[in-house]
Amino acid sequence: MIECALTVIKEPLVEETVKIRVPPSDLADNLGKWLETKEETDVTFNVRGETFHAHKILLAMRSPVFKAQLYGPMGDRTARNITVEDMQPDVFKDLLDFIYCDKLPSLDNPDKENDEMVKHLLVAADRYAMERMKMICEAVLCKSLTVETVASTLALADQYHCSGLKDACIEFAISCNRMGGVVASQGYVHLKRSCPAVLGDILERVTKSPKV
Amino acid sequence: MIECALTVIKEPLVEETVKIRVPPSDLADNLGKWLETKEETDVTFNVRGETFHAHKILLAMRSPVFKAQLYGPMGDRTARNITVEDMQPDVFKDLLDFIYCDKLPSLDNPDKENDEMVKHLLVAADRYAMERMKMICEAVLCKSLTVETVASTLALADQYHCSGLKDACIEFAISCNRMGGVVASQGYVHLKRSCPAVLGDILERVTKSPKV
């Protein structure tokens, strides 16, 4: 049985005839335009030979790590050219897009096999303490778990303190008789070597669950 | 007869057990925090004795008028203290809140008789070319039209080129035998004096409509 509750609200007459439509927020668009045009940028990042221009204050507003680096007592207020190590340029580009526009362009292509890119984005989000960006990456990875990938995703989740993703991986692994396949996967070797404590977490969960 | 179309989508098993909830965008909150704490502000506005601190680049990103004033060829790049004439401090405060957070705190109190405040906000939005803020004000005024207020709201709509609000006012005025009351209202005298051309717009609409 499906029950539908319908509420009919009578609007004033003028609403029926002339309505002013307020467009959605343009805050992210306004900011994104200045990232695109590079107008009035005051800092340059060199990422493996590629150059990115940005506005220091906006980076600091969005990322506590950039705040410390650009304005903190241990940072360098006069820094104009910063070299970013250990990151791919396309990952840094998405990080900037997220800082300005709350978007991750790399995730807009669902056809593409982009689990690796999402993992890189998660690591970048963790590095710059962008909590919401990290959770978006966790949610994407959580949806694309397979028997072959779950062990390596679990290792990543453990390494970068993603408790939600870690729980999802363990739950996925012990469900539906998947443990055999997981143990046989390549990622499991890596998981066992790099995060042995996680194996204990799995074992404890298995003993509580009748699913394996 | 009401038809309900229901689509049942089967989610993968892991979704049913562990779900990662991504919180809503925190872009506006991140920016708003820096307006509140005044950290790293680089410009000060004096509005009728009250002082407001802000970040120049953010003002310019959001308002083409601030952009011209702070970074344009006719503006003053070195300006640190700016005096704002002809504006109430609480209106300027809401303008800054909208620039940083896309919010107009004055509109959050629906019980308050705040038509006058909304009109001031519309004028401020027009002055700084904040189009979406202006439309929000138009939409609020559109919903609160009465026989007594419609003429003065129409004069404002005409003066600040709010075509949507102007249409709504005319439509409201000529509907339901309201014209008599409108002509008798105080605002009508002001409308007749300041925007006589609008009376022609009303007359033309009346001749097309059988409602009066």
PDB file of all heavy atoms in Angstrom, chain A residues 163-185:
ATOM      1  N   SER A 163      37.270   7.177   7.975  1.00  0.00           N
ATOM      2  CA  SER A 163      36.563   6.136   8.730  1.00  0.00           C
ATOM      3  C   SER A 163      35.319   5.642   7.993  1.00  0.00           C
ATOM      4  O   SER A 163      35.022   4.438   8.023  1.00  0.00           O
ATOM      5  CB  SER A 163      36.200   6.659  10.130  1.00  0.00           C
ATOM      6  OG  SER A 163      35.364   7.780  10.010  1.00  0.00           O
ATOM      7  N   GLY A 164      34.615   6.538   7.323  1.00  0.00           N
ATOM      8  CA  GLY A 164      33.406   6.122   6.590  1.00  0.00           C
ATOM      9  C   GLY A 164      33.746   5.162   5.466  1.00  0.00           C
ATOM     10  O   GLY A 164      33.110   4.118   5.305  1.00  0.00           O
ATOM     11  N   LEU A 165      34.762   5.502   4.689  1.00  0.00           N
ATOM     12  CA  LEU A 165      35.167   4.651   3.565  1.00  0.00           C
ATOM     13  C   LEU A 165      35.723   3.321   4.075  1.00  0.00           C
ATOM     14  O   LEU A 165      35.466   2.266   3.492  1.00  0.00           O
ATOM     15  CB  LEU A 165      36.208   5.388   2.706  1.00  0.00           C
ATOM     16  CG  LEU A 165      36.702   4.651   1.463  1.00  0.00           C
ATOM     17  CD1 LEU A 165      35.559   4.332   0.509  1.00  0.00           C
ATOM     18  CD2 LEU A 165      37.765   5.489   0.719  1.00  0.00           C
ATOM     19  N   LYS A 166      36.440   3.382   5.179  1.00  0.00           N
ATOM     20  CA  LYS A 166      37.010   2.156   5.762  1.00  0.00           C
ATOM     21  C   LYS A 166      35.882   1.195   6.163  1.00  0.00           C
ATOM     22  O   LYS A 166      35.914   0.009   5.826  1.00  0.00           O
ATOM     23  CB  LYS A 166      37.864   2.544   6.980  1.00  0.00           C
ATOM     24  CG  LYS A 166      38.700   1.417   7.530  1.00  0.00           C
ATOM     25  CD  LYS A 166      39.616   1.899   8.659  1.00  0.00           C
ATOM     26  CE  LYS A 166      40.056   0.731   9.523  1.00  0.00           C
ATOM     27  NZ  LYS A 166      40.876   1.157  10.657  1.00  0.00           N
ATOM     28  N   ASP A 167      34.880   1.731   6.845  1.00  0.00           N
ATOM     29  CA  ASP A 167      33.723   0.905   7.235  1.00  0.00           C
ATOM     30  C   ASP A 167      33.051   0.314   6.007  1.00  0.00           C
ATOM     31  O   ASP A 167      32.680  -0.866   5.998  1.00  0.00           O
ATOM     32  CB  ASP A 167      32.692   1.763   7.987  1.00  0.00           C
ATOM     33  CG  ASP A 167      33.128   2.040   9.416  1.00  0.00           C
ATOM     34  OD1 ASP A 167      34.108   1.416   9.861  1.00  0.00           O
ATOM     35  OD2 ASP A 167      32.500   2.897  10.064  1.00  0.00           O
ATOM     36  N   ALA A 168      32.885   1.150   4.965  1.00  0.00           N
ATOM     37  CA  ALA A 168      32.207   0.682   3.749  1.00  0.00           C
ATOM     38  C   ALA A 168      32.991  -0.448   3.095  1.00  0.00           C
ATOM     39  O   ALA A 168      32.407  -1.433   2.632  1.00  0.00           O
ATOM     40  CB  ALA A 168      32.020   1.844   2.770  1.00  0.00           C
ATOM     41  N   CYS A 169      34.321  -0.313   3.063  1.00  0.00           N
ATOM     42  CA  CYS A 169      35.167  -1.336   2.456  1.00  0.00           C
ATOM     43  C   CYS A 169      35.060  -2.658   3.218  1.00  0.00           C
ATOM     44  O   CYS A 169      34.901  -3.729   2.614  1.00  0.00           O
ATOM     45  CB  CYS A 169      36.629  -0.888   2.437  1.00  0.00           C
ATOM     46  SG  CYS A 169      36.986   0.397   1.243  1.00  0.00           S
ATOM     47  N   ILE A 170      35.143  -2.576   4.535  1.00  0.00           N
ATOM     48  CA  ILE A 170      35.082  -3.805   5.354  1.00  0.00           C
ATOM     49  C   ILE A 170      33.719  -4.473   5.185  1.00  0.00           C
ATOM     50  O   ILE A 170      33.609  -5.671   4.958  1.00  0.00           O
ATOM     51  CB  ILE A 170      35.390  -3.493   6.841  1.00  0.00           C
ATOM     52  CG1 ILE A 170      36.841  -3.010   6.981  1.00  0.00           C
ATOM     53  CG2 ILE A 170      35.131  -4.718   7.716  1.00  0.00           C
ATOM     54  CD1 ILE A 170      37.268  -2.651   8.393  1.00  0.00           C
ATOM     55  N   GLU A 171      32.671  -3.643   5.230  1.00  0.00           N
ATOM     56  CA  GLU A 171      31.305  -4.156   5.070  1.00  0.00           C
ATOM     57  C   GLU A 171      31.148  -4.849   3.709  1.00  0.00           C
ATOM     58  O   GLU A 171      30.577  -5.933   3.608  1.00  0.00           O
ATOM     59  CB  GLU A 171      30.326  -2.973   5.189  1.00  0.00           C
ATOM     60  CG  GLU A 171      28.893  -3.351   5.475  1.00  0.00           C
ATOM     61  CD  GLU A 171      28.721  -3.998   6.846  1.00  0.00           C
ATOM     62  OE1 GLU A 171      29.432  -3.593   7.797  1.00  0.00           O
ATOM     63  OE2 GLU A 171      27.898  -4.913   6.934  1.00  0.00           O
ATOM     64  N   PHE A 172      31.705  -4.181   2.670  1.00  0.00           N
ATOM     65  CA  PHE A 172      31.623  -4.742   1.314  1.00  0.00           C
ATOM     66  C   PHE A 172      32.380  -6.069   1.239  1.00  0.00           C
ATOM     67  O   PHE A 172      31.889  -7.048   0.673  1.00  0.00           O
ATOM     68  CB  PHE A 172      32.216  -3.749   0.314  1.00  0.00           C
ATOM     69  CG  PHE A 172      32.198  -4.224  -1.124  1.00  0.00           C
ATOM     70  CD1 PHE A 172      31.103  -3.971  -1.939  1.00  0.00           C
ATOM     71  CD2 PHE A 172      33.278  -4.923  -1.653  1.00  0.00           C
ATOM     72  CE1 PHE A 172      31.077  -4.413  -3.262  1.00  0.00           C
ATOM     73  CE2 PHE A 172      33.267  -5.373  -2.968  1.00  0.00           C
ATOM     74  CZ  PHE A 172      32.162  -5.117  -3.775  1.00  0.00           C
ATOM     75  N   ALA A 173      33.591  -6.090   1.834  1.00  0.00           N
ATOM     76  CA  ALA A 173      34.450  -7.275   1.731  1.00  0.00           C
ATOM     77  C   ALA A 173      33.837  -8.496   2.404  1.00  0.00           C
ATOM     78  O   ALA A 173      33.902  -9.608   1.878  1.00  0.00           O
ATOM     79  CB  ALA A 173      35.825  -6.968   2.328  1.00  0.00           C
ATOM     80  N   ILE A 174      33.204  -8.281   3.555  1.00  0.00           N
ATOM     81  CA  ILE A 174      32.699  -9.444   4.305  1.00  0.00           C
ATOM     82  C   ILE A 174      31.284  -9.852   3.876  1.00  0.00           C
ATOM     83  O   ILE A 174      30.783 -10.869   4.320  1.00  0.00           O
ATOM     84  CB  ILE A 174      32.745  -9.207   5.843  1.00  0.00           C
ATOM     85  CG1 ILE A 174      31.756  -8.114   6.269  1.00  0.00           C
ATOM     86  CG2 ILE A 174      34.152  -8.881   6.307  1.00  0.00           C
ATOM     87  CD1 ILE A 174      31.625  -7.964   7.781  1.00  0.00           C
ATOM     88  N   SER A 175      30.661  -9.045   3.011  1.00  0.00           N
ATOM     89  CA  SER A 175      29.308  -9.375   2.559  1.00  0.00           C
ATOM     90  C   SER A 175      29.362 -10.370   1.406  1.00  0.00           C
ATOM     91  O   SER A 175      30.330 -10.413   0.634  1.00  0.00           O
ATOM     92  CB  SER A 175      28.571  -8.127   2.066  1.00  0.00           C
ATOM     93  OG  SER A 175      28.665  -7.095   3.001  1.00  0.00           O
ATOM     94  N   CYS A 176      28.285 -11.130   1.238  1.00  0.00           N
ATOM     95  CA  CYS A 176      28.052 -11.947   0.037  1.00  0.00           C
ATOM     96  C   CYS A 176      29.217 -12.871  -0.313  1.00  0.00           C
ATOM     97  O   CYS A 176      29.574 -12.993  -1.493  1.00  0.00           O
ATOM     98  CB  CYS A 176      27.762 -11.052  -1.162  1.00  0.00           C
ATOM     99  SG  CYS A 176      26.522  -9.811  -0.873  1.00  0.00           S
ATOM    100  N   ASN A 177      29.819 -13.484   0.653  1.00  0.00           N
ATOM    101  CA  ASN A 177      30.907 -14.446   0.387  1.00  0.00           C
ATOM    102  C   ASN A 177      32.026 -13.885  -0.481  1.00  0.00           C
ATOM    103  O   ASN A 177      32.544 -14.568  -1.356  1.00  0.00           O
ATOM    104  CB  ASN A 177      30.336 -15.696  -0.290  1.00  0.00           C
ATOM    105  CG  ASN A 177      29.507 -16.501   0.675  1.00  0.00           C
ATOM    106  OD1 ASN A 177      29.916 -16.699   1.825  1.00  0.00           O
ATOM    107  ND2 ASN A 177      28.347 -16.933   0.233  1.00  0.00           N
ATOM    108  N   ARG A 178      32.363 -12.627  -0.268  1.00  0.00           N
ATOM    109  CA  ARG A 178      33.379 -12.006  -1.124  1.00  0.00           C
ATOM    110  C   ARG A 178      34.800 -12.196  -0.584  1.00  0.00           C
ATOM    111  O   ARG A 178      35.769 -11.938  -1.289  1.00  0.00           O
ATOM    112  CB  ARG A 178      33.118 -10.496  -1.244  1.00  0.00           C
ATOM    113  CG  ARG A 178      31.909 -10.157  -2.084  1.00  0.00           C
ATOM    114  CD  ARG A 178      31.872  -8.652  -2.312  1.00  0.00           C
ATOM    115  NE  ARG A 178      30.678  -8.267  -3.008  1.00  0.00           N
ATOM    116  CZ  ARG A 178      29.714  -7.490  -2.501  1.00  0.00           C
ATOM    117  NH1 ARG A 178      29.813  -7.046  -1.271  1.00  0.00           N
ATOM    118  NH2 ARG A 178      28.657  -7.187  -3.215  1.00  0.00           N
ATOM    119  N   MET A 179      34.947 -12.598   0.691  1.00  0.00           N
ATOM    120  CA  MET A 179      36.267 -12.589   1.329  1.00  0.00           C
ATOM    121  C   MET A 179      37.306 -13.398   0.556  1.00  0.00           C
ATOM    122  O   MET A 179      38.471 -12.986   0.455  1.00  0.00           O
ATOM    123  CB  MET A 179      36.163 -13.106   2.777  1.00  0.00           C
ATOM    124  CG  MET A 179      36.547 -12.168   3.905  1.00  0.00           C
ATOM    125  SD  MET A 179      37.155 -10.530   3.546  1.00  0.00           S
ATOM    126  CE  MET A 179      38.872 -10.722   3.936  1.00  0.00           C
ATOM    127  N   GLY A 180      36.885 -14.535  -0.011  1.00  0.00           N
ATOM    128  CA  GLY A 180      37.821 -15.361  -0.783  1.00  0.00           C
ATOM    129  C   GLY A 180      38.432 -14.590  -1.927  1.00  0.00           C
ATOM    130  O   GLY A 180      39.659 -14.554  -2.102  1.00  0.00           O
ATOM    131  N   GLY A 181      37.589 -13.916  -2.681  1.00  0.00           N
ATOM    132  CA  GLY A 181      38.057 -13.110  -3.817  1.00  0.00           C
ATOM    133  C   GLY A 181      38.937 -11.959  -3.376  1.00  0.00           C
ATOM    134  O   GLY A 181      39.934 -11.624  -4.033  1.00  0.00           O
ATOM    135  N   VAL A 182      38.568 -11.354  -2.248  1.00  0.00           N
ATOM    136  CA  VAL A 182      39.337 -10.213  -1.744  1.00  0.00           C
ATOM    137  C   VAL A 182      40.759 -10.665  -1.369  1.00  0.00           C
ATOM    138  O   VAL A 182      41.750 -10.020  -1.735  1.00  0.00           O
ATOM    139  CB  VAL A 182      38.633  -9.566  -0.523  1.00  0.00           C
ATOM    140  CG1 VAL A 182      39.508  -8.496   0.105  1.00  0.00           C
ATOM    141  CG2 VAL A 182      37.275  -8.993  -0.920  1.00  0.00           C
ATOM    142  N   VAL A 183      40.862 -11.791  -0.653  1.00  0.00           N
ATOM    143  CA  VAL A 183      42.167 -12.300  -0.219  1.00  0.00           C
ATOM    144  C   VAL A 183      43.035 -12.663  -1.435  1.00  0.00           C
ATOM    145  O   VAL A 183      44.263 -12.508  -1.405  1.00  0.00           O
ATOM    146  CB  VAL A 183      41.982 -13.522   0.729  1.00  0.00           C
ATOM    147  CG1 VAL A 183      43.310 -14.240   0.981  1.00  0.00           C
ATOM    148  CG2 VAL A 183      41.376 -13.058   2.057  1.00  0.00           C
ATOM    149  N   ALA A 184      42.372 -13.071  -2.535  1.00  0.00           N
ATOM    150  CA  ALA A 184      43.118 -13.444  -3.743  1.00  0.00           C
ATOM    151  C   ALA A 184      43.511 -12.234  -4.595  1.00  0.00           C
ATOM    152  O   ALA A 184      44.291 -12.364  -5.532  1.00  0.00           O
ATOM    153  CB  ALA A 184      42.263 -14.397  -4.591  1.00  0.00           C
ATOM    154  N   SER A 185      42.979 -11.065  -4.265  1.00  0.00           N
ATOM    155  CA  SER A 185      43.251  -9.881  -5.103  1.00  0.00           C
ATOM    156  C   SER A 185      44.650  -9.321  -4.852  1.00  0.00           C
ATOM    157  O   SER A 185      45.242  -9.548  -3.791  1.00  0.00           O
ATOM    158  CB  SER A 185      42.212  -8.797  -4.837  1.00  0.00           C
ATOM    159  OG  SER A 185      42.444  -8.189  -3.572  1.00  0.00           O
TER     160      SER A 185
END
